[in-house]
Amino acid sequence: MSRPEDTLVADIHYNVTESRKYTTSSRIQNVQASMTLRALELLDLSGPSFILDVGCGSGLSGEILSATPPDEGGPHVWVGMDISADMLDIALERDVEGDLLYSDIGQGVPFRAGTFDAAISISAIQWLCNAESTETSPQGRLSRFFNGLYASLRRGGRAVCQFYPKNDQQKKMITQAAVKAGFGAGLLEDDPETKNVKVYLVLTVGGTAQDGNSGDITNVVNGMEGVDVLDSRRRAREKSSGRGDIKPQKGSKAWIMKKKEQMEKKGKVVKASSKYTGRKRRIQF
Amino acid sequence: MKILTLNFLTCAVKACKSSAASYPLHPQEVELAKDEMEYNPQAMLNFLLRLDWAALRMTATELGFATLPEEMPTAEDLQQDELKMRQLHELLLETHVVSGKLVCGNCGHEYGIKEGIANFLLPSHLV
C-alpha cells in the first residue's frame, strides 16, 4: 500500500483534487466512519462533551461527533485542527457544525489548560513522523504536540488517536513521546496481523478516580469483547529484574560457541566445532 | 468560530505560554454572524464548569455585548432560569466570528480569521 507520508508534506499532498477525492470516496468514508465510531466507543463519554479533532480534514469524523444521538451521550461540540487549507475548504462547503482551526499540530495545541473532555484523531499523527525542514525533528514535533494535547485535556480526560505506523520503530517513537508527555498510553490493534490492521493509541490524563479505577490504561478496555491485554510493562520489569538469560563471559567457550552459531545463521562459512574449540593453548617456553 | 471556542484559545507562541497577558486573545475588526444550533441544557452546564467568566466578559465587551453580569451564574441558577440559559446558549454557541483577527496581548501576534477559520500557523521563527 502506498504511503503518502513518504513522498510529500500533509498540506501539499492534500491539495484540491486529492482532498476532494478523499472526501467523496465512499470507501474512505466508510473506513473513517467505522474508525470514528470505534474511537468514540473507546472514549466512553457519558454526556455531551467538548472534543478536539486533531487532523479533522474535511470533517468526516466531526460529522459523526455532531450526529451522535442523545441516548449515546451526544451531540458533542467539537473543534477541528488541520494543516491542509484545501481540506478545510471542503469542510466549509460541507457546512460542518464544529469550529475549524488552520494550524500545524506539530507546533503545539493552542488551547488553555483543561479545555477539552476528550480528543480524537483519525489517520493523522503518523504525519508528525516526517520533518520537512532541518529546523524541526520528528521527535520535537511529536513532543510539542503531545505536551500541548496533555495540557489542553481536563483531568480524567481521554484521547484516542488512530494512526498508520510505517513500522514498529515508528509505533514505538509515537508511544514513547506520549508517555514522556505524561499520558497513560496503550495501543489497541484491531484485526492484528492482517492487511486491514488498525492501530489506536489510547491515552489517559490522570487517574479517573470517579470510576474507582487506579488510572491503569488497561481499564479502558475493561468489559470490551474480544480484546486481549498484552502487558509489555510486566515483561520489561521481569527482564530488568534479571530473570532473563545471562550473557556468557566474553572469550569463554560458551561465548565462542554462541558467536559461531550466530555467524552460521548469517550464512557465513564457519569452521566445524571440535573438542579443541575455545581451549587455551598450553604454555610455551 | 464560536464565542465558546474563543474562550479557550490562547496564543500559540511558546514564549507566551507563561504570560498571563496571552489569554484571552483580543478580537479586532470582527464580523459576526448568527447560526442556529440546537439548544442543549445538559451540554451548556458541562461547558459552564470550564468557562473563564472574566475572559468571557472581556471578550463580550470587546465585541460590543455588555449584558453579562459580573459574577458567574451558578448551575442551579441557570437550571431555574431558562431564559438566562438560552441567552448564554445564543452568545456562546450561536454567535460566530466570521472574519477579523485575534491579537495576543503579550506578543502582539495577529491571527487572521477568514470564513470562520482562524489561521494558527506560525512562521518558523516563532515556533
Side-chain angles (χ1 to χ4, degrees):
Chain A
M1 205 168 65
S2 68
R3 288 183 61 83
E5 293 85 3
D6 290 345
T7 45
L8 276 178
V9 214
D11 50 334
I12 300 173
H13 174 73
Y14 289 115
N15 56 13
V16 182
T17 43
E18 202 62 38
S19 302
R20 201 163 294 278
K21 222 158 69 184
Y22 192 91
T23 316
T24 48
S25 154
S26 61
R27 186 184 70 85
I28 291 181
Q29 277 177 0
N30 281 338
V31 173
Q32 292 269 327
S34 68
M35 290 192 296
T36 311
L37 290 172
R38 179 66 161 161
L40 267 176
E41 186 189 351
L42 287 165
L43 287 175
D44 195 21
L45 298 163
S46 54
S49 312
F50 197 36
I51 301 180
L52 176 69
D53 186 351
V54 179
C56 61
S58 49
L60 286 174
S61 42
E63 257 177 356
I64 292 171
L65 297 180
S66 310
T68 311
D71 54 313
E72 282 169 37
H76 306 294
V77 176
W78 57 278
V79 178
M81 293 169 74
D82 207 283
I83 196 176
S84 162
D86 293 308
M87 274 285 195
L88 291 173
D89 218 33
I90 293 182
L92 270 186
E93 270 175 38
R94 287 153 50 85
D95 201 17
V96 292
E97 291 256 347
D99 281 343
L100 304 166
L101 279 191
Y102 176 44
S103 72
D104 180 4
I105 53 170
Q107 293 182 345
V109 182
F111 289 93
R112 71 177 162 89
T115 299
F116 297 103
D117 292 302
I120 69 162
S121 165
I122 304 296
S123 320
I125 56 172
Q126 74 270 11
W127 288 99
L128 282 172
C129 294
N130 302 54
E132 60 274 15
S133 71
T134 48
E135 285 160 39
T136 53
S137 65
Q139 281 84 2
R141 289 167 60 76
L142 277 168
S143 108
R144 282 208 73 168
F145 166 64
F146 281 119
N147 284 328
L149 185 67
Y150 186 81
S152 67
L153 286 171
R154 69 168 172 83
R155 300 306 93 177
R158 275 182 196 169
V160 174
C161 307
Q162 181 277 328
F163 66 108
Y164 292 112
K166 189 176 174 183
N167 44 34
D168 278 349
Q169 198 191 347
Q170 226 177 51
K171 221 191 277 184
K172 206 168 155 192
M173 184 162 89
I174 289 177
T175 319
Q176 274 173 351
V179 171
K180 215 170 166 190
F183 284 108
L187 280 177
L188 177 87
E189 286 187 19
D190 280 352
D191 306 323
E193 282 157 40
T194 64
K195 203 175 72 172
N196 296 326
V197 59
K198 296 283 177 296
V199 184
Y200 298 84
L201 178 65
V202 185
L203 305 168
T204 54
V205 179
T208 45
Q210 70 251 37
D211 337 319
N213 289 336
S214 57
D216 190 343
I217 190 74
T218 53
N219 287 333
V220 173
V221 291
N222 261 359
M224 269 192 194
E225 269 176 48
V227 178
D228 300 327
V229 175
L230 300 171
D231 200 336
S232 62
R233 289 169 299 183
R234 190 177 304 144
R235 241 179 290 145
R237 270 201 301 275
E238 274 170 14
K239 224 179 211 171
S240 63
S241 63
R243 244 186 280 174
D245 51 358
I246 308 145
K247 270 190 186 170
Q249 199 195 353
K250 195 176 175 185
S252 68
K253 182 164 182 180
W255 180 80
I256 292 173
M257 295 308 282
K258 202 180 127 205
K259 284 287 167 194
K260 287 183 86 166
E261 208 176 297
Q262 275 177 2
M263 288 301 144
E264 216 166 358
K265 269 187 198 156
K266 277 188 187 171
K268 297 259 169 72
V269 180
V270 178
K271 289 273 167 67
S273 302
S274 70
K275 64 176 182 181
Y276 301 105
T277 308
R279 266 218 216 160
K280 283 254 165 24
R281 286 179 193 276
R282 67 185 164 85
I283 301 157
Q284 307 266 358
F285 282 110
Chain B
M1 187 166 55
K2 299 181 187 70
I3 305 294
L4 177 74
T5 314
L6 203 57
N7 196 256
F8 292 110
L9 276 173
T10 67
C11 183
V13 178
K14 203 177 179 184
C16 285
K17 282 268 186 279
S18 52
S19 164
S22 70
Y23 173 82
L25 296 173
H26 306 288
Q28 282 179 9
E29 301 165 21
V30 292
E31 196 182 309
L32 296 173
K34 207 179 141 186
D35 194 3
E36 296 275 319
M37 197 178 161
E38 211 172 307
Y39 170 67
N40 186 342
Q42 207 191 340
M44 279 299 293
L45 288 175
N46 182 18
F47 302 146
L48 197 71
L49 299 171
R50 265 167 292 163
L51 277 184
D52 187 324
W53 192 257
L56 182 65
R57 280 199 68 203
M58 197 193 275
T59 314
T61 320
E62 280 168 13
L63 291 175
F65 311 106
T67 49
L68 288 179
E70 201 150 318
E71 284 292 310
M72 183 169 149
T74 57
E76 292 96 53
D77 243 12
L78 285 175
Q79 264 165 335
Q80 282 160 11
D81 194 347
E82 208 196 302
L83 183 72
K84 216 183 228 173
M85 186 97 117
R86 279 196 183 269
Q87 277 172 348
L88 255 183
H89 169 78
E90 197 184 320
L91 173 68
L92 289 174
L93 293 168
E94 293 191 335
T95 314
H96 289 248
V97 179
V98 180
S99 69
K101 56 190 179 188
L102 299 172
V103 184
C104 169
N106 187 43
C107 65
H109 190 80
E110 292 179 359
Y111 300 96
I113 305 178
K114 266 186 205 156
E115 297 184 67
I117 300 181
N119 180 354
F120 271 76
L121 273 189
L122 291 175
S124 60
H125 66 276
L126 280 174
V127 173

